[in-house]
Amino acid sequence: MKSQSESYMKAGVDITAGYKAVELMKTHIARTLTAGALSDIGGFGGLFELDMTGITKPVLVSGTDGVGTKLKIAFLMDKHDTVGIDCVAMCVNDIICCGAKPLFFLDYIACGKNYPEKIADIVSGIAEGCVQSGAALIGGETAEMPGFYPVDEYDLAGFSVGIVDKDKILDNSSINEGDVIIALPSSGVHSNGFSLVRKVFDIENNDIKAPMAELSGKSLGETLLTPTKIYVKPMLALFEKIDVKAVSHITGGGFYENIPRSLPKGYSAKIDKSKLQILPIFQLIQEVGNIPERDMFNTFNMGVGMSVVVSADDADVALETLKANGEDAYVIGTVVKSDEGVIIE
């Protein structure tokens, strides 16, 4: 590659660093390629060939998101190889709520200065998230933006596209009183609520690398950087076994905002608080920040990354299937006739 601009470099943009970053990330991208991925990295568009086997009415489902201010933790820890998993997870976990299988993912990284090794670290996490979800990483963009971002900081976003047969799109019209609500445990805070987390712990002015007894000897930074769990493969296995009535990805807004989105009008989720496996990090956030319990459940996932509604008759099979696919799922409540949305007691 002979492309080089001294004038552009004097303005703060090193296009040769971009080429080096692409070379460094190629091995990570290769891990994600599936049968449908046709494009090679560096082209102008990401190409994907659809396999319609077994699908009579194909519907494409898309999701887009970023990592948010969790990136501030990555900057302070100088650890950049996991936030890409978060970026993928926030997109594909939304897609799966419709019953769709993710097909491919594209990323967008904007930075103050292109450090090729750092960009490659970020992409390694994106690739790992794609492998976990079965999505091919078929393209992306790295934008060096001096004067817009600090030289050591970046932003990360992406989007994914999935496919589902129109007749198999999750439809909550079959929900009835007495249906069972199953929890899929989260790995931690995931990628929401970090503006509050950063305020509670004043992370810029405190040591977040020190081990903490409250977190089983892990540091606050390490605990907060735990990547978002990806639920795609266990959920696809569940769709094959039973008729799932509704799925909620518990993100920003917590229980009170996300669970009602999957329920029809006139029905609410009654959650048994005593059954919830609340992680120590949430207890620490609540204690240090003196945060009311309702605000905790209206901001964080509280240890539940995804909730699934099934009929009572299918509950045992659902639990067995999820556990056989690596999810320590458990029942947290039932559907009741009510207009409250979520009842936690």
Side-chain angles (χ1 to χ4, degrees), residues 12-302:
V13 178
D14 183 359
I15 56 178
T16 60
Y19 304 143
K20 182 178 180 182
V22 169
E23 287 301 314
L24 290 174
M25 66 177 72
K26 281 185 176 181
T27 55
H28 302 303
I29 295 169
R31 296 177 56 216
T32 76
L33 298 183
T34 60
L38 301 180
S39 53
D40 189 17
I41 192 71
F44 289 99
L47 307 178
F48 193 91
E49 182 178 11
L50 287 175
D51 180 0
M52 299 299 192
T53 304
I55 300 176
T56 57
K57 300 176 183 177
V59 175
L60 297 180
V61 181
S62 59
T64 185
D65 211 334
V67 182
T69 62
K70 182 174 185 173
L71 292 175
K72 289 285 189 180
I73 314 296
F75 303 156
L76 290 169
M77 297 292 288
D78 194 23
K79 181 174 173 56
H80 311 282
D81 61 349
T82 60
V83 289
I85 301 175
D86 292 291
C87 190
V88 176
M90 298 306 292
C91 299
V92 297
N93 283 346
D94 278 355
I95 285 176
I96 203 69
C97 292
C98 298
K101 176 185 177 181
L103 297 174
F104 57 82
F105 186 85
L106 285 88
D107 65 73
Y108 176 76
I109 305 168
C111 57
K113 182 172 176 58
N114 188 332
Y115 296 103
E117 291 77 12
K118 182 185 287 187
I119 298 299
D121 272 352
I122 298 168
V123 174
S124 74
I126 296 170
E128 175 59 28
C130 287
V131 169
Q132 289 183 23
S133 60
L137 180 55
I138 64 170
E141 174 71 12
T142 301
E144 190 173 18
M145 301 169 66
F148 195 87
Y149 293 96
V151 294
D152 290 323
E153 296 192 2
Y154 56 86
D155 197 8
L156 173 61
F159 79 93
S160 185
V161 173
I163 191 168
V164 62
D165 197 312
K166 187 174 183 179
D167 293 334
K168 294 182 179 179
I169 296 173
L170 293 192
D171 180 2
N172 64 15
S173 62
S174 66
I175 284 179
N176 292 306
E177 188 168 37
D179 286 341
V180 172
I181 303 170
I182 295 173
L184 278 64
S186 71
S187 57
V189 183
H190 283 185
S191 298
N192 300 101
F194 274 86
S195 293
L196 178 55
V197 169
R198 289 166 43 238
K199 180 177 183 293
V200 166
F201 295 114
D202 191 16
I203 62 166
E204 280 84 4
N205 298 304
N206 283 297
D207 182 8
I208 65 170
K209 297 181 179 181
M212 298 185 67
E214 300 94 328
L215 301 174
S216 302
K218 285 188 174 183
S219 70
L220 178 62
E222 182 184 5
T223 301
L224 292 175
L225 268 188
T226 302
T228 304
K229 187 182 284 189
I230 292 175
Y231 301 101
V232 170
K233 292 180 179 179
M235 289 304 303
L236 288 175
L238 185 62
F239 295 150
E240 290 292 323
K241 284 284 187 180
I242 65 168
D243 290 328
V244 175
K245 297 193 174 189
V247 181
S248 296
H249 183 201
I250 313 299
T251 56
F255 281 47
Y256 287 105
E257 182 176 320
N258 291 288
I259 295 178
R261 291 167 64 183
S262 68
L263 300 176
K265 186 176 178 61
Y267 290 90
S268 298
K270 186 175 182 180
I271 306 297
D272 184 345
K273 188 168 62 176
S274 68
K275 292 183 179 179
L276 293 174
Q277 299 172 10
I278 298 175
L279 300 173
I281 184 60
F282 296 111
Q283 296 167 345
L284 186 63
I285 292 169
Q286 185 172 7
E287 291 169 8
V288 174
N290 192 28
I291 300 172
E293 183 177 78
R294 195 191 189 286
D295 286 358
M296 291 294 295
F297 278 97
N298 210 159
T299 307
F300 302 107
N301 67 61
M302 300 301 284

